[in-house]
Amino acid sequence: MHEKMSPYYSPCPVETALNLIGNKWKILIIHDLMLGKRRFGELRRSISAAKKQSISQKVLTQNLRELEDAKLICRKVYAEVPPKVEYSLTELGQSLKSVINSLESWGEYYQGMW
């Protein structure tokens, strides 16, 4: 057992995964970052367009911080004026590609039923 247990940990592996990525915004953030590095504004516009509803700056910031804390994304700050910050998937975050792609395929299958 680890000295410091992850706050996302559950004895059930499915629950652990859902604790990490189990809200609509985190899934969309990860999906968007699968395409490459993004700045905050790019993420916000892309995610809002995908959902056809706007994600607030506060909610996006909170979800990005949680994903960074979980080691799924990386935040890189460039020493520029104005400040430039880019987000990208870590190696651990990249490992979610097959999961996200499967969810996307299943969603398309379900949409095709209607």
Side-chain angles (χ1 to χ4, degrees):
M1 182 91 30
H2 294 66
E3 238 177 78
K4 182 182 176 192
M5 186 66 68
S6 166
Y8 306 103
Y9 178 83
S10 166
C12 173
V14 173
E15 185 178 9
T16 297
L18 290 175
N19 289 342
L20 287 161
I21 62 168
N23 77 39
K24 65 182 179 182
W25 300 119
K26 288 180 183 172
I27 292 282
L28 291 171
I29 291 167
I30 293 166
H31 182 262
D32 208 55
L33 290 175
M34 284 171 41
L35 303 173
K37 297 176 183 177
R38 297 283 187 265
R39 293 180 69 175
F40 185 90
E42 292 172 324
L43 275 171
R44 188 168 180 205
R45 281 188 299 278
S46 177
I47 292 166
S48 294
K51 285 291 294 172
K52 297 197 174 32
Q53 73 182 62
S54 184
I55 181 173
S56 72
Q57 183 172 333
K58 178 182 175 182
V59 169
L60 180 55
T61 298
Q62 177 184 340
N63 280 278
L64 287 169
R65 285 183 182 151
E66 290 174 11
L67 289 168
E68 185 179 11
D69 182 54
K71 310 288 190 250
L72 297 175
I73 68 168
C74 177
R75 178 179 184 264
K76 184 173 181 180
V77 181
Y78 294 87
E80 297 180 3
V81 176
K84 177 181 174 183
V85 179
E86 284 184 336
Y87 297 91
S88 60
L89 292 176
T90 62
E91 189 175 328
L92 183 61
Q94 293 279 352
S95 71
L96 287 165
K97 279 187 174 186
S98 63
V99 174
I100 303 296
N101 287 338
S102 293
L103 285 170
E104 184 175 27
S105 294
W106 188 87
E108 289 170 351
Y109 167 75
Y110 182 82
Q111 289 172 335
M113 296 175 61
W114 308 105

